Amino acid sequence: MSNDRSDRRSDRLDDEGPVFSAEQARQGEIILRTRTRRIIFIAGLVGIVILITVIRFAVG
């Protein structure tokens, strides 16, 4: 019975797609090619700071 279980697991692993090493996975970068993407990204960062500030004033 344990062989059936391990066979099913290996079948699922094969169907999940490509496997990347830890070295390959760390090579990500944020690419903000257009002005709109840069503005949205910066607005998100500013929004987080504003949200934290509002929450601090609301709680304390």
Side-chain angles (χ1 to χ4, degrees), residues 7-52:
D7 288 342
R8 279 188 233 139
R9 247 186 250 146
S10 65
D11 288 343
R12 273 188 272 152
L13 290 176
D14 291 340
D15 293 339
E16 287 184 13
V19 177
F20 298 102
S21 70
E23 187 66 30
Q24 290 172 325
R26 289 188 199 128
Q27 299 301 319
E29 60 184 90
I30 298 173
I31 300 174
L32 304 171
R33 294 184 180 167
T34 65
R35 186 169 190 240
T36 304
R37 289 182 185 183
R38 284 191 291 267
I39 291 171
I40 292 170
F41 179 75
I42 293 170
L45 293 178
V46 171
I48 290 170
V49 171
I50 291 172
L51 179 64
I52 290 171

